[in-house]
């Protein structure tokens, strides 16, 4: 009796350990899986206040912002809050040398001043259903992977037809737990989303790349948008007649801030994690893939940075591209560091040993899973050279833009070959539109230099048979000089400039397709692709399919073996809740990082005229006068804070909510020592970084003086809380 009691207690503590901090949980399962744990950690509301399909709940205030970030509704007039770096594309698009919103910020002081954004959307989740049974129905063990997927696709298509929805709603089915489970989402997408406000980059991206992925942080990484709807409040295409959307639910803003140990949760759309990998996959990431990608981006960034600093136009044109390239570049370096320092491979191996022991001890598990780990290891070993080649190919061909431009014209040639004149005209119009868009942010000088530097790596670092023969002969013709080779390609191509493109695309369909086919950049990208598909893609895809199948079995195996552990599915851009406590951390021996930063820190970092750490004069004046209004505490202005919430890319812009579900922060980053959390979450050092909501309000109110926005939001503090 006593023994069982003890076991139960141990079981329970293991259970809680599996729960706290790590995990991105499904909102519809919180009640059954997490509610107790969340309340134990300090939550004061119920799971049904977070996700409820019968009445308004917090989920009705959360949107996927353009499919790449999260945003939340913070007023009953459809006002959206997200990050500066999430709204940046919109901010850049509206910017020019005359109206440089990147540099000076932008504020709409009435609805009429808000700016429309083509292509931007906000998607609400109406409800989520488990459809695993229907999706997997009819599957047999003897089906090949291809037959299996075929049947699954058919089942999903049938399901989509059957499910009840309104005409303005959409249906989406996603696989979870490496395709062991399937959930269906009914969604509502609003496509008239207007820019309302953004601080200057010197606030919204303060510290830029130096501070990115780092704590302590002092960035006001936010921007504001507004959802517009048709007169019936339903989704409608952009129209000047549309009206501000009236949400089912909007978030209230807490003025109380956070204390050490406070409960927080982050509600949003995390993009992609890989928490259940085999140790050899982690080892390969650290040794092969991350370094390959980092190496290429290091060179690319050096080139772009040089041009951006000496030319303001290029500075605007390349701001977004530069930020994108450098963001993952820095993260991968942190990932290598973190995985190495935390002994992630060794720890995973120990877990695998435990797994193996349990499998061997139980006949039914033995039958199903013996040899699985070995098969995984073999498959990862085999894929290594192809994975390296894939990373090289995709990094290089995406950084040299002339190759991408040429590639766009493939659709035109293909359309003509397939459908003659009819398809051709349409494909041509489409290609022109896309290319003209891209030319807006393009500099030939930058691209030529990128070509020169990166094609050198393409040749020097790869096995000879992975290198395009066409390029090899070009290089030879130009005395193995990469600059000369770049000149040759650019002088014999018309794909990178509006005027040249016009010449290229003028004439009969037959003449044009012929001219495209003779364009040198076109010939080059085609030969690079062909070489890749001949030498790499076949093996790569076959091995990847094998790994996917093995990981699917391994996922189920882990759940069958570790029956006490609570599993959460890897992130896949679907709505999730993660929760944890506000907490400081120790990055290394003898150093402790506080959980909150203040404006003193903004001022400490300030370097007048600097590219990363300059500040608007008005901010300095406000600071010197300690004019923080109701957003400061005891004469200090809080700026950012950290907590142990398990987040990833895509969670940017997600609300950080307190125990009562009120908005206390805006998620935007993670700490350097914990960037490995996508592969190996370590509760001792993984922290997410949020802008303190009071800093956001200080900037809107005191810096921008956008009283119109403050007036439409709803604030709460202990005095008004029940
Ligand atoms: N690291 C954060 C995230 O992954 C923020 C990136 C934006 N800031 C920047 N300096 N690029 O997206
Ligand atoms: N900064 C990331 C984003 O843009 C969030 C993260 O990776 O922690 O989604």
């Amino acid at each position: 009796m006593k023994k069982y009691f003890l076991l139960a207690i141990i079981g329970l503590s293991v259970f809680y350990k599996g729960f706290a901090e790590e995990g991105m949980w499904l909102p519809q399962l919180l009640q059954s899986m997490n509610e107790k744990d969340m309340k134990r950690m300090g939550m004061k509301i119920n799971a049904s206040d977070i996700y409820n399909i019968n009445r308004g709940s917090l989920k009705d205030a959360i949107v996927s912002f353009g499919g790449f970030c999260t945003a939340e509704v913070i007023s009953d007039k459809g006002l959206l809050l997200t990050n500066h770096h999430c709204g940046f594309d919109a901010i850049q698009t509206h910017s020019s040398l005359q109206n440089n919103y990147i540099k000076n910020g932008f504020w709409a002081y009435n609805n009429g001043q808000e700016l429309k954004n083509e292509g931007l959307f906000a998607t609400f989740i109406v409800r989520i259903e488990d459809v695993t049974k229907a999706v997997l129905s009819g599957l047999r063990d003897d089906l090949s992977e291809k037959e299996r997927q075929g049947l699954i696709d058919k089942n999903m298509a049938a399901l989509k037809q059957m499910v009840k929805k309104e005409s303005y709603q959409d249906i989406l089915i996603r696989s979870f737990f490496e395709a062991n489970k399937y959930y269906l989402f009914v969604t509502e997408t609003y496509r008239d989303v207007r820019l309302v406000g953004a601080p200057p980059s010197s606030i919204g991206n303060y510290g830029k790349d130096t501070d990115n992925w780092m704590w302590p942080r002092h960035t006001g990484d936010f921007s504001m948008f507004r959802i517009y709807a048709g007169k019936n409040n339903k989704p409608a295409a952009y129209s000047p007649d549309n009206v501000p959307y009236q949400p089912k639910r909007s978030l209230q803003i807490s003025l109380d801030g956070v204390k050490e140990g406070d409960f927080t949760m982050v509600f949003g759309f995390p993009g992609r994690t890989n928490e259940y990998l085999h140790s050899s996959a982690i080892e390969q990431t650290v040794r092969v893939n991350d370094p390959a990608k980092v190496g290429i981006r290091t060179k690319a960034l050096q080139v772009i940075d040089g041009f951006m600093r000496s030319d303001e136009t290029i500075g605007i044109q390349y701001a977004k591209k530069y930020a994108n390239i450098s963001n993952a570049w820095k993260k991968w370096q942190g990932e290598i560091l973190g995985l190495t320092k935390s002994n992630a491979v060794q720890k995973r191996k120990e877990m695998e040993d435990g797994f193996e022991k349990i499998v061997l001890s139980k006949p039914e598990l033995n039958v199903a899973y013996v040899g699985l780990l070995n098969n995984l290891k073999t498959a990862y070993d085999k894929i290594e050279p192809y994975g390296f080649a894939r990373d090289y190919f995709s990094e290089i061909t995406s950084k040299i833009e002339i190759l991408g431009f040429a590639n766009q014209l493939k659709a035109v040639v293909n359309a003509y070959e397939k459908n003659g004149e009819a398809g051709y005209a349409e494909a041509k119009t489409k290609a022109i539109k896309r290319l003209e868009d891209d030319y807006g942010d393009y500099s030939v000088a930058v691209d030529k230099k990128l070509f020169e530097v990166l094609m050198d790596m393409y040749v020097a670092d790869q096995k000879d048979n992975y290198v395009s023969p066409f390029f090899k002969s070009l290089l030879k013709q130009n005395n193995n000089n990469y600059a000369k080779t770049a000149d040759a390609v650019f002088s014999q191509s018309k794909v990178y400039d509006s005027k040249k493109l016009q010449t290229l695309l003028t004439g009969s369909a037959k003449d044009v397709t012929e001219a495209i086919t003779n364009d040198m950049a076109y010939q080059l990208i085609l030969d690079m692709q062909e070489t890749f598909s001949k030498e790499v893609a076949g093996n790569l895809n076959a091995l990847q399919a094998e790994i996917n199948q093995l990981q699917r079995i391994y996922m189920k195996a882990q759940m069958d073996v570790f029956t006490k552990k609570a599993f959460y599915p890897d992130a896949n851009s679907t709505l999730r809740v993660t929760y944890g406590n506000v907490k400081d951390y120790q990055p290394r021996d003898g150093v402790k990082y506080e959980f909150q930063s203040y404006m003193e820190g903004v001022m400490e970092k300030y370097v007048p005229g600097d590219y990363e750490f300059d500040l608007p004069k008005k901010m300095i004046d406000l600071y010197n006068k300690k004019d923080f209004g109701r957003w400061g505490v005891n004469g200090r202005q809080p700026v950012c804070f950290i907590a142990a919430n398990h987040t990833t890319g895509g969670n940017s812009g997600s609300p950080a909510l307190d125990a009562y579900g009120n908005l206390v922060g805006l998620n935007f980053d993670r700490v350097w020592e914990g960037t490995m959390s996508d592969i190996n979450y370590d509760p001792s050092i993984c922290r997410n970084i949020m802008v303190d909501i009071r800093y956001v309000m200080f900037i809107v109110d005191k810096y921008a003086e956008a009283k119109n926005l403050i007036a439409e939001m709803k604030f709460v503090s202990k005095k008004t809380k029940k």
Side-chain angles (χ1 to χ4, degrees), residues 69 83-86 204-214 217 219 221 319-320 322-328 330-331 612 648-650 652 668-670 675:
C69 274
N83 289 141
H84 186 267
H85 77 266
C86 295
N205 193 10
Y206 187 63
K208 295 220 170 59
D209 296 298
T210 298
D211 268 13
N212 193 17
W213 299 110
M214 297 280 194
R217 193 65 154 271
T219 312
D221 193 348
K320 172 83 185 161
Y322 187 90
N324 273 344
I325 299 172
S326 76
N327 191 41
K330 193 164 178 188
K331 187 196 125 171
E612 299 187 298
T648 188
S652 272
F668 73 104
D669 209 0
R670 281 169 281 165
T675 49

Side-chain angles (χ1 to χ4, degrees), residues 273-378:
T273 58
N274 288 291
E275 310 285 356
Y276 302 101
L277 291 176
H278 187 273
S279 54
S280 45
I282 303 180
E283 191 273 333
Q284 217 167 86
T285 303
V286 172
R287 181 175 47 83
V288 180
N289 306 94
D290 278 357
K293 295 184 285 188
V294 167
I296 292 167
R297 288 189 181 207
T298 302
K299 291 264 172 74
L301 289 168
Q302 277 165 0
V303 170
I304 300 173
D305 183 57
F307 283 96
M308 282 177 77
R309 284 178 193 241
S310 59
D311 184 327
E312 197 184 345
T313 305
I314 294 181
I316 295 177
Q317 285 177 322
Y318 276 72
K320 172 83 185 161
K321 282 183 216 172
Y322 187 90
N324 273 344
I325 299 172
S326 76
N327 191 41
W329 167 77
K330 193 164 178 188
K331 187 196 125 171
W332 290 323
Q333 296 176 63
E335 195 168 83
I336 296 173
L337 226 79
L339 290 172
T340 310
K341 241 183 95 175
S342 68
N343 275 323
V345 175
Q346 189 49 36
K347 280 189 193 143
R348 194 60 56 98
K349 279 190 176 147
E350 281 159 21
M351 184 280 266
E352 287 160 5
D353 287 346
F355 171 89
E356 204 89 299
K357 267 199 197 112
I358 298 177
V359 166
L360 288 174
S361 72
K362 295 196 179 149
E364 72 282 7
L365 295 178
N366 208 337
V367 173
Y369 304 130
V370 77
L372 177 60
L373 289 177
N374 248 329
N375 293 342
L376 270 163
K377 175 163 183 353
T378 311

Side-chain angles (χ1 to χ4, degrees), residues 668-687:
F668 73 104
D669 209 0
R670 281 169 281 165
V671 304
W672 183 240
E673 294 77 11
T675 49
M676 61 167 173
S677 64
D678 293 347
I679 297 177
N680 177 55
Y681 187 88
D682 181 339
S684 67
I685 49 170
C686 288
R687 299 285 180 273

